[in-house]
Structure formats: C-alpha cells, structure tokens
C-alpha cells in the first residue's frame, strides 16, 4: 500500500469522491474526524459504502478506522462494519501489542457472527499515539497474525505530552522524529509494512513531496493522506523509480549469474547479501505498485 486516504465516514460527499481518488487503500474514519453524535450514521454509511465498493473489479483496499479499544464506541463500530467485509481495520491509540491481540479476538468473534470467518480483516496499528505504547513498542512484534502494518501519529501524542508543536521548521521536532524512527524499526522487526503519517498541510505539494521522498528513502512503504490531491504525489514517490528498478535488476542478475557466490562486484563496488536482499525488496515493491510486469522479460541474447 503506497497511499491510504482517510475519508470521514459521515460525509456522503467525500465518500462519493473517494473511489476515484486513485488511492491504494481508503480508510473510512469513524474516529477523530467524526463527531460522536454522527457515529451511528457514519457506521451505516461505511458499511453501505464497503458493500458497494467491494463489487468493483479494480478497487482500493477498504479499511475502517474504529475507535480505541477502551472507548464506548468500538463495539458498535466493529459490529457495524465487519458484516460488510472490510479488508482491514485501522487501530488508533493501542497501548501495547496486547491491545492488537485483543482487537484481533474481537474481530474474530464479529466475523464468526457475520459468517465471514473466511475473510479475516487485517490490522494496521497506529503505534505511537500514547506514551505508554511508545515505551513498549517491542510488544507489537508477533502480537497478531492479522497485523499487516504499523503507522505513527504526532497529533494525539503531542496532546498527551503537552508539546506545543511536533514540527520544527521544515522537519519534525526531536520527540516526534524519535517515534517516527522507532515505528519504522518496529515494523521492520515485526515484518509488517511501515506507513508514514499524514501531512496535514494539504495545499503544500512541495512539502508533501519532500516528506514522501525522505520517508521512502528511509524505508517506509507508503503514507496516509487526508485529501485526494495528495494521492498522486504519494503514489509517485513510493513507486520505485526506473533507475532504482534497473539497479535492483542488475544486482539480482549479478548474483543469478554466479550461483553459490556470496559476494559479487558491480562497477568496482562490492555487493553482498544485504544488497541482494534490498534489491529483491525494491523489485517486490515495484511489482506490487504495478511498475513491473508480473513476469520479467527473458534475458537478452548475445
Ligand atoms: N476524501 C474524499 N474526498 C475529499 C476528501 C477526502 N479526504 N477531502 C476533500 N474531499 C473532497 C471535498 O469534498 C471536495 O469535493 P466537493 O468540492 O465536491 O465538495 C474536494 O475533495 C476538494 O476539497 P477541498 O475543498 O479542497 O477541501 P475541504 O476544505 O472540503 O476539506 C479537509 C479539507 C481537510 C476537511 C478534508 O480534506 C478532510 O476531511 N480530510 C480528511 C480528514 C480526516 O479524515 N482526518 C482524520 C485522519 S488525520
Ligand atoms: Mg487521532
């Protein structure tokens, strides 16, 4: 998933624009962008939207952000949307991996009741929204086989910590840089997708581009969006470039041509197993984003 577009689920207008935004995934929001009194309607709209959107052939993945596990809303959120068959659930404000495990069990019960056991919803956990969670990030590793990704957020954490801003100049201030980086490392340790957080200044395309470039270089595989205009930039910046793909292909070929060799050389530089692993990762991402044909072309003769 390169781009994940948040859509407030109580807004019929925004829901009607969501499918054509070009996002790899939509996150229908029942949490912070929806006022409490509108949640019952938002649940019904989200379920109706998922039921309709699932029919389309070429559709984005459909995720729902439910309310936190310790809220009064989460049970109704899960019961309201699981029968429609979302691809996944975005979990806000977990305090540890134990909360991901608890959500997973609740989803299993709801799927059982809805006769949807064959379609287990995935979990994308936002792991830096409470200080307790940040201090226990390693507990997320192996917390649930449903968990496919991790993301981070600055707004909720800064409200708890009392930070007046999570940004300094063009970049992040140091506590928020720390949690971003820890999210990336924890996702890598858990072997799930690291997804970068939202860029809220949605008219600043150059700023978004800069932030995407940095995130993609560091290893994030995608970024959450809040506005349809952000989707194309995110998709572009998280798709490996032709040059990156070519370079990765060259590395994979160098090892394929020397089976059994642990080390190879390319243009006077040493290549060993980490280079091969990284090249394979780049090619897998290129394939997932449609930048590569499913079967590589045969090697040229001569
Ligand atoms: N999903 C789908 N459509 C959206 C959208 C979104 N996230 N954000 C905006 N649009 C639509 C608008 O409805 C508008 O269409 P319209 O002219 O037919 O009404 C069009 O895109 C252009 O929107 P624009 O006028 O530029 O922005 P806005 O002022 O209407 O909305 C926000 C700005 C920030 C309120 C809106 O983008 C939004 O709600 N984003 C998601 C917020 C969210 O989910 N936050 C929680 C996660 S942090
Ligand atoms: Mg929030």
């Amino acid at each position: 998933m390169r781009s994940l577009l948040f859509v407030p689920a109580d807004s019929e207008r925004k829901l009607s624009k969501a499918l054509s935004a070009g996002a790899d995934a939509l996150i229908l929001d029942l949490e912070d962008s929806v006022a409490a009194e509108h949640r019952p309607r938002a649940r019904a709209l989200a379920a109706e939207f998922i039921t309709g959107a699932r029919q389309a052939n070429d559709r984005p993945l459909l995720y729902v952000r439910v309310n936190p596990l310790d809220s009064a809303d989460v049970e109704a959120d899960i019961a309201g949307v699981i029968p429609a068959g979302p691809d996944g659930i975005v979990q806000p404000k977990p305090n540890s991996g134990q909360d991901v495990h608890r959500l997973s069990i609740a989803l299993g019960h709801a799927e059982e009741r809805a006769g949807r056991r064959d379609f287990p919803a995935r979990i994308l956990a936002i792991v830096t929204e409470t200080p307790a969670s940040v201090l226990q990030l390693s507990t997320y590793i192996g917390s649930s086989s449903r968990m496919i990704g991790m993301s981070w957020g600055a707004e909720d954490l800064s409200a708890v910590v009392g930070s007046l801003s999570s940004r300094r100049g063009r970049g992040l201030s140091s506590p928020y840089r720390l949690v971003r980086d820890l999210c990336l490392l924890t996702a890598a340790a858990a072997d799930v997708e690291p997804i970068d957080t939202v860029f809220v200044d949605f008219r600043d395309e150059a700023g978004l581009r800069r932030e995407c470039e940095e995130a993609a270089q560091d290893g994030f595989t995608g970024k959450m969006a809040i506005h349809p205009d952000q989707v194309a930039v995110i998709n572009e910046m998280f798709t490996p470039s032709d040059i990156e793909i070519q370079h990765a292909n060259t590395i994979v070929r160098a090892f394929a041509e020397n089976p059994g060799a642990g080390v190879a050389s390319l243009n006077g530089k040493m290549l060993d197993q980490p280079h091969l692993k990284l090249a394979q990762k780049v090619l897998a991402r290129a394939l997932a984003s449609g930048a590569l044909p499913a079967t590589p072309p045969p090697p040229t003769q001569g």
Side-chain angles (χ1 to χ4, degrees):
M1 288 184 281
R2 297 164 303 175
S3 52
L4 301 87
L5 174 63
F6 269 109
V7 188
D10 62 340
S11 168
E12 279 169 279
R13 198 169 181 111
K14 286 171 190 163
L15 286 169
S16 74
K17 301 226 143 179
L19 281 177
S20 58
D24 288 346
L26 300 176
I27 304 175
L28 310 180
D29 191 22
L30 298 175
E31 199 217 6
D32 283 349
S33 72
V34 178
E37 65 268 29
H38 293 153
R39 287 206 179 112
R41 200 168 134 267
R43 286 177 197 119
L45 284 173
E48 187 189 336
F49 181 88
I50 293 165
T51 304
R54 280 178 58 96
Q55 312 297 325
N57 280 332
D58 192 17
R59 65 166 178 87
L61 290 170
L62 303 165
Y63 276 63
V64 177
R65 181 166 73 172
V66 297
N67 282 278
L69 268 192
D70 55 6
S71 71
D73 286 295
V74 65
E75 232 181 278
D77 291 347
I78 292 173
V81 298
I82 284 296
D87 296 295
I89 297 295
V90 172
Q91 181 174 22
K93 305 181 184 65
N95 283 310
S96 72
Q98 181 68 23
D99 282 351
V100 175
H101 180 68
R102 284 173 56 209
L103 174 64
S104 171
I105 289 174
L107 294 177
H109 289 317
E111 284 160 358
E112 179 113 31
R113 276 194 295 274
R116 287 200 156 272
R117 274 181 53 189
D118 298 343
F119 304 98
R122 308 296 177 200
I123 295 175
L124 172 64
I126 308 186
V127 297
T128 69
E129 291 189 317
T130 73
S133 177
V134 175
L135 295 175
Q136 313 184 72
L137 281 171
S138 65
T139 61
Y140 287 93
I141 301 166
S143 58
S144 166
S145 57
R146 289 177 187 263
M147 188 173 64
I148 50 82
M150 276 180 203
S151 190
W152 68 282
E155 277 77 20
D156 290 276
L157 185 63
S158 52
V160 181
V161 172
S163 309
L164 300 181
S165 170
S166 57
R167 304 195 77 92
R168 193 147 300 163
R170 279 182 167 186
L172 293 164
S173 65
S174 111
Y176 300 92
R177 187 85 205 169
L178 172 74
V179 300
R180 167 201 184 268
D181 294 354
L182 286 174
C183 170
L184 174 67
L185 293 172
T186 311
D191 197 19
V192 300
E193 284 191 57
I195 304 292
D196 196 21
T197 197
V198 294
F199 184 72
V200 293
D201 200 351
F202 60 89
R203 306 269 185 237
D204 177 7
E205 188 189 318
L208 173 66
R209 202 170 273 280
R210 252 193 324 271
E211 202 163 277
C212 289
E213 184 176 25
E214 202 177 334
Q217 281 211 1
D218 286 349
F220 285 96
T221 56
K223 188 172 178 69
M224 301 190 294
I226 52 160
H227 191 285
D229 287 355
Q230 296 184 316
V231 170
V233 173
I234 295 177
N235 284 348
E236 178 195 332
M237 300 304 285
F238 284 91
T239 303
S241 69
D242 288 348
I243 292 172
E244 286 163 343
I245 293 172
Q246 233 173 47
H247 185 64
N249 266 325
T250 309
I251 293 173
V252 169
R253 214 173 297 128
F255 280 95
E257 283 166 4
N258 298 286
V263 63
S265 79
L266 180 67
N267 304 332
K269 283 198 183 135
M270 183 204 73
L271 298 175
D272 61 2
Q273 294 304 307
H275 298 98
L276 176 60
K277 205 183 271 180
L278 184 59
Q280 286 164 336
K281 253 191 174 162
V282 169
L283 294 178
R285 282 179 46 205
L287 184 63
S289 54
L292 262 192
T295 331
T300 44
Q301 297 297 310

